[in-house]
mmCIF file of all heavy atoms in Angstrom:
data_model
loop_
_atom_site.group_PDB
_atom_site.id
_atom_site.type_symbol
_atom_site.label_atom_id
_atom_site.label_comp_id
_atom_site.label_asym_id
_atom_site.label_seq_id
_atom_site.Cartn_x
_atom_site.Cartn_y
_atom_site.Cartn_z
ATOM 1 N N HIS M 155 121.561 85.724 87.654
ATOM 2 C CA HIS M 155 122.049 84.748 88.635
ATOM 3 C C HIS M 155 120.927 84.002 89.357
ATOM 4 O O HIS M 155 121.194 83.259 90.305
ATOM 5 C CB HIS M 155 122.938 85.458 89.667
ATOM 6 C CG HIS M 155 124.246 85.920 89.122
ATOM 7 N ND1 HIS M 155 124.385 87.118 88.456
ATOM 8 C CD2 HIS M 155 125.484 85.338 89.114
ATOM 9 C CE1 HIS M 155 125.648 87.272 88.082
ATOM 10 N NE2 HIS M 155 126.332 86.212 88.473
ATOM 11 N N LEU M 156 119.693 84.156 88.919
ATOM 12 C CA LEU M 156 118.598 83.459 89.577
ATOM 13 C C LEU M 156 118.702 81.956 89.337
ATOM 14 O O LEU M 156 118.974 81.508 88.227
ATOM 15 C CB LEU M 156 117.252 83.971 89.051
ATOM 16 C CG LEU M 156 116.857 85.377 89.505
ATOM 17 C CD1 LEU M 156 115.611 85.846 88.764
ATOM 18 C CD2 LEU M 156 116.618 85.416 91.016
ATOM 19 N N SER M 157 118.481 81.186 90.395
ATOM 20 C CA SER M 157 118.598 79.737 90.299
ATOM 21 C C SER M 157 117.431 79.143 89.513
ATOM 22 O O SER M 157 116.270 79.466 89.784
ATOM 23 C CB SER M 157 118.615 79.113 91.701
ATOM 24 O OG SER M 157 118.485 77.709 91.614
ATOM 25 N N PRO M 158 117.698 78.293 88.543
ATOM 26 C CA PRO M 158 116.618 77.680 87.749
ATOM 27 C C PRO M 158 115.731 76.744 88.559
ATOM 28 O O PRO M 158 114.692 76.311 88.066
ATOM 29 C CB PRO M 158 117.374 76.925 86.654
ATOM 30 C CG PRO M 158 118.732 76.693 87.211
ATOM 31 C CD PRO M 158 119.040 77.860 88.079
ATOM 32 N N LYS M 159 116.129 76.443 89.805
ATOM 33 C CA LYS M 159 115.322 75.550 90.639
ATOM 34 C C LYS M 159 114.224 76.296 91.407
ATOM 35 O O LYS M 159 113.392 75.660 92.053
ATOM 36 C CB LYS M 159 116.218 74.817 91.640
ATOM 37 C CG LYS M 159 117.225 73.872 90.994
ATOM 38 C CD LYS M 159 118.055 73.159 92.046
ATOM 39 C CE LYS M 159 119.066 72.220 91.402
ATOM 40 N NZ LYS M 159 119.879 71.514 92.421
ATOM 41 N N LEU M 160 114.224 77.617 91.328
ATOM 42 C CA LEU M 160 113.247 78.401 92.088
ATOM 43 C C LEU M 160 111.819 78.039 91.692
ATOM 44 O O LEU M 160 111.492 77.927 90.514
ATOM 45 C CB LEU M 160 113.467 79.892 91.857
ATOM 46 C CG LEU M 160 114.611 80.556 92.623
ATOM 47 C CD1 LEU M 160 114.769 81.998 92.179
ATOM 48 C CD2 LEU M 160 114.370 80.490 94.125
ATOM 49 N N ARG M 161 110.978 77.900 92.736
ATOM 50 C CA ARG M 161 109.559 77.649 92.519
ATOM 51 C C ARG M 161 108.712 78.857 92.962
ATOM 52 O O ARG M 161 107.624 79.060 92.441
ATOM 53 C CB ARG M 161 109.120 76.396 93.276
ATOM 54 C CG ARG M 161 109.834 75.133 92.794
ATOM 55 C CD ARG M 161 109.342 73.880 93.486
ATOM 56 N NE ARG M 161 107.995 73.566 93.044
ATOM 57 C CZ ARG M 161 106.909 73.692 93.783
ATOM 58 N NH1 ARG M 161 107.008 74.146 95.033
ATOM 59 N NH2 ARG M 161 105.720 73.386 93.315
ATOM 60 N N ARG M 162 109.235 79.624 93.921
ATOM 61 C CA ARG M 162 108.540 80.825 94.374
ATOM 62 C C ARG M 162 109.544 81.978 94.435
ATOM 63 O O ARG M 162 110.638 81.826 94.993
ATOM 64 C CB ARG M 162 107.911 80.616 95.759
ATOM 65 C CG ARG M 162 106.832 79.544 95.808
ATOM 66 C CD ARG M 162 106.253 79.417 97.214
ATOM 67 N NE ARG M 162 105.654 80.678 97.639
ATOM 68 C CZ ARG M 162 104.398 81.050 97.336
ATOM 69 N NH1 ARG M 162 103.642 80.255 96.609
ATOM 70 N NH2 ARG M 162 103.927 82.192 97.763
ATOM 71 N N LEU M 163 109.155 83.127 93.873
ATOM 72 C CA LEU M 163 110.041 84.286 93.845
ATOM 73 C C LEU M 163 109.235 85.544 94.165
ATOM 74 O O LEU M 163 108.216 85.827 93.531
ATOM 75 C CB LEU M 163 110.690 84.428 92.465
ATOM 76 C CG LEU M 163 111.607 85.643 92.260
ATOM 77 C CD1 LEU M 163 112.791 85.597 93.218
ATOM 78 C CD2 LEU M 163 112.089 85.699 90.812
ATOM 79 N N LYS M 164 109.717 86.280 95.186
ATOM 80 C CA LYS M 164 109.075 87.533 95.589
ATOM 81 C C LYS M 164 110.146 88.605 95.710
ATOM 82 O O LYS M 164 111.085 88.466 96.500
ATOM 83 C CB LYS M 164 108.352 87.353 96.923
ATOM 84 C CG LYS M 164 107.636 88.601 97.430
ATOM 85 C CD LYS M 164 106.894 88.293 98.725
ATOM 86 C CE LYS M 164 106.185 89.519 99.275
ATOM 87 N NZ LYS M 164 105.444 89.210 100.525
ATOM 88 N N LEU M 165 110.024 89.663 94.916
ATOM 89 C CA LEU M 165 111.011 90.740 94.888
ATOM 90 C C LEU M 165 110.305 92.077 95.081
ATOM 91 O O LEU M 165 109.324 92.376 94.377
ATOM 92 C CB LEU M 165 111.766 90.746 93.557
ATOM 93 C CG LEU M 165 112.532 89.468 93.199
ATOM 94 C CD1 LEU M 165 113.085 89.560 91.776
ATOM 95 C CD2 LEU M 165 113.646 89.206 94.190
ATOM 96 N N ASP M 166 110.822 92.878 96.006
ATOM 97 C CA ASP M 166 110.256 94.202 96.267
ATOM 98 C C ASP M 166 111.279 95.256 95.865
ATOM 99 O O ASP M 166 112.304 95.439 96.518
ATOM 100 C CB ASP M 166 109.906 94.338 97.752
ATOM 101 C CG ASP M 166 109.094 95.597 98.041
ATOM 102 O OD1 ASP M 166 109.127 96.526 97.215
ATOM 103 O OD2 ASP M 166 108.414 95.641 99.084
ATOM 104 N N PHE M 167 110.985 95.934 94.739
ATOM 105 C CA PHE M 167 111.846 97.005 94.238
ATOM 106 C C PHE M 167 111.241 98.379 94.550
ATOM 107 O O PHE M 167 111.623 99.378 93.938
ATOM 108 C CB PHE M 167 112.032 96.882 92.723
ATOM 109 C CG PHE M 167 112.697 95.600 92.287
ATOM 110 C CD1 PHE M 167 112.063 94.736 91.420
ATOM 111 C CD2 PHE M 167 113.960 95.276 92.741
ATOM 112 C CE1 PHE M 167 112.680 93.559 91.000
ATOM 113 C CE2 PHE M 167 114.585 94.111 92.338
ATOM 114 C CZ PHE M 167 113.944 93.250 91.466
ATOM 115 N N GLY M 168 110.300 98.430 95.475
ATOM 116 C CA GLY M 168 109.635 99.684 95.802
ATOM 117 C C GLY M 168 110.615 100.759 96.248
ATOM 118 O O GLY M 168 111.621 100.483 96.888
ATOM 119 N N GLY M 169 110.301 101.995 95.907
ATOM 120 C CA GLY M 169 111.112 103.123 96.335
ATOM 121 C C GLY M 169 112.441 103.256 95.630
ATOM 122 O O GLY M 169 113.236 104.142 95.970
#
Side-chain angles (χ1 to χ4, degrees):
H155 290 84
L156 288 172
S157 170
K159 295 181 180 180
L160 282 175
R161 298 183 70 251
R162 297 181 60 85
L163 177 62
K164 180 177 179 179
L165 301 173
D166 190 340
F167 298 121

